């Protein structure tokens, strides 16, 4: 029998991910922080649960959600205004609840922001240099789950996310004197995020650390100029760069066998 999947956080990524697992004949439970969305999840065949994580404890049905699943996918990023202690407290509660329910297989959705604003190539083996509060929060949460030898936790660090209703060029269009035009982009389309996460389950890639980023890394100047032109948006203007500057280039040492749907962000047409 296929394992029962639990998606904690059925939002922009989690909801279509849950639906993809259902299309693959998995049993799927999913959580939402909005009670009005329970029927939406249920109508898609997702067993719906209302769960909110707070410092003082979880609201809703966290234990009921966890008790019947075999694999937990944690798709709950830090909030921008949340302190590191708040997020870590919530993830600690989730971790302890998962231990009580004897969950062994965990997928933690993280971000390449944990590498910080460094220059040059980074891989899963690189030293982490988180600069922002949210990146520091993610590092702490990653260590919490991966540090438990009784769990088979896999961490997937996604780059910038693209999708039919989400593209960074919409925020950059028409801006002037942007200073990072020679930096490389590190992006991935939602379809390939879902491909990667489902592949962890179907291939049983447990206890792994993975960067989820396309292998193609054009400069921001080239990429966003093309994307703005394609959409009929004002082209963002970048200042003259510095010779040899590339910004952060995220590579992966663990996903050579995975064939992305688009392979590069220009082909994604999102």
């Amino acid at each position: 029998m296929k394992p029962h999947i639990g998606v904690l956080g059925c939002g922009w990524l989690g909801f279509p991910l849950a639906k993809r697992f259902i299309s693959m004949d998995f049993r799927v439970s999913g959580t939402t922080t909005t009670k009005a969305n329970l029927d939406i999840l249920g109508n898609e065949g997702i067993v719906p649960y209302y769960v909110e994580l707070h410092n003082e404890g979880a609201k809703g049905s966290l234990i009921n959600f966890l008790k019947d699943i075999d694999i937990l996918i944690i798709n709950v990023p830090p909030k921008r205004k949340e302190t590191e202690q708040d997020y870590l407290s919530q993830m600690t509660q989730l971790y302890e609840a998962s231990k009580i329910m004897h969950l062994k297989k965990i997928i933690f959705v993280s971000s390449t922001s944990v590498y910080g604003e460094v220059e040059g190539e980074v891989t899963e083996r690189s030293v982490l240099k988180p600069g922002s509060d949210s990146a520091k929060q993610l590092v702490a949460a990653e260590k919490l789950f991966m540090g438990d030898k009784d769990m088979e936790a896999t961490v997937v660090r996604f780059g910038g996310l693209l999708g039919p209703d989400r593209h960074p060029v919409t925020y950059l269009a028409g801006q002037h004197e942007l200073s990072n035009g020679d930096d490389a982009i590190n992006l991935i389309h939602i379809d390939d995020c879902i491909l990667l996460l489902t592949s962890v389950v179907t291939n049983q890639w447990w206890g792994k650390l993975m960067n989820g980023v396309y292998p193609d890394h054009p400069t921001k100047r080239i990429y966003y100029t093309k994307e703005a032109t394609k959409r009929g948006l004002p082209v963002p203007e970048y200042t003259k760069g510095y010779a040899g500057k590339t910004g952060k280039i995220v590579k992966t040492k663990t996903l050579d066998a995975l064939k992305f749907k688009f392979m590069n962000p220009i082909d994604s047409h999102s």
Side-chain angles (χ1 to χ4, degrees):
M1 181 181 294
K2 289 186 176 181
H4 188 159
I5 308 293
V7 180
L8 186 77
C10 286
W12 184 81
L13 171 59
F15 184 48
L17 173 65
K19 291 197 294 182
R20 179 64 58 83
F21 274 118
I22 286 175
S23 73
M24 298 165 67
D25 295 323
F26 284 89
R27 294 176 297 150
V28 181
S29 295
T31 74
T32 175
T33 59
T34 305
K35 292 181 179 179
N37 289 339
L38 291 171
D39 287 342
I40 295 175
L41 269 60
N43 290 338
E44 295 292 343
I46 304 164
V47 181
Y49 290 89
Y50 165 68
V51 175
E52 283 192 66
L53 300 177
H54 295 278
N55 285 7
E56 61 276 13
K59 292 183 179 180
S61 306
L62 177 61
I63 295 300
N64 287 336
F65 165 68
L66 294 175
K67 71 179 182 180
D68 289 329
I69 63 175
D70 303 301
I71 296 172
L72 172 62
I73 301 176
I74 304 169
N75 181 41
V76 184
K79 297 176 183 177
R80 289 186 178 182
K81 295 183 179 180
E82 200 165 44
T83 68
E84 183 173 351
Q85 291 75 21
D86 289 341
Y87 185 75
L88 185 56
S89 173
Q90 294 162 21
M91 290 298 104
T92 299
Q93 291 176 39
L94 177 60
Y95 164 75
E96 291 175 349
S98 299
K99 292 281 286 184
I100 291 171
M101 293 295 104
H102 304 290
L103 276 171
K104 301 291 187 182
K105 292 180 169 59
I106 311 285
I107 300 176
F108 185 84
V109 177
S110 188
S111 165
T112 56
S113 64
V114 297
Y115 298 111
E117 297 301 319
V118 298
E119 184 75 14
E121 182 177 305
V122 296
T123 71
E124 294 89 346
R125 300 170 187 169
S126 298
V127 175
L128 303 182
K129 298 179 180 180
S132 66
D133 287 341
S134 61
K136 292 174 182 177
Q137 294 164 24
L138 286 170
V139 170
E142 286 184 7
K143 290 179 178 178
L144 185 64
F145 290 97
M146 292 203 80
D148 189 327
K149 294 181 180 179
D150 293 328
M151 286 184 170
E152 296 178 281
T154 289
V155 170
V156 180
R157 296 169 177 161
F158 285 126
L161 302 178
L162 305 174
D165 57 350
R166 179 171 180 169
H167 200 291
V169 75
T170 58
Y171 306 104
L172 297 171
Q175 292 195 35
H176 302 281
E177 298 185 357
L178 296 170
S179 61
N180 57 353
D182 293 319
D183 285 4
I185 61 165
N186 299 282
L187 301 175
I188 186 169
H189 191 277
I190 186 173
D191 289 354
D192 284 316
C193 294
I194 292 171
L195 171 62
L196 199 162
L197 294 171
T198 54
S199 295
V200 171
V201 174
T202 57
N203 293 309
Q204 299 191 52
W205 291 336
W206 301 112
K208 305 292 185 182
L209 181 59
M210 304 178 177
N211 290 333
V213 177
Y214 285 136
D216 193 29
H217 301 271
T219 66
K220 292 182 177 181
R221 187 192 316 274
I222 291 173
Y223 177 67
Y224 290 122
T225 295
K226 287 184 177 180
E227 291 300 308
T229 302
K230 183 169 67 178
R231 291 167 170 76
L233 297 172
V235 173
E237 297 180 4
Y238 292 89
T239 58
K240 186 176 180 180
Y242 300 96
K245 186 177 183 296
T246 63
K248 179 171 59 185
I249 302 175
V250 181
K251 301 285 188 177
T252 179
K253 297 292 186 182
T254 58
L255 290 176
D256 293 340
L258 185 66
K259 300 300 182 183
F260 287 123
K261 178 178 179 180
F262 295 118
M263 289 307 292
N264 67 67
I266 293 177
D267 288 345
S268 67
H269 298 297
S270 291

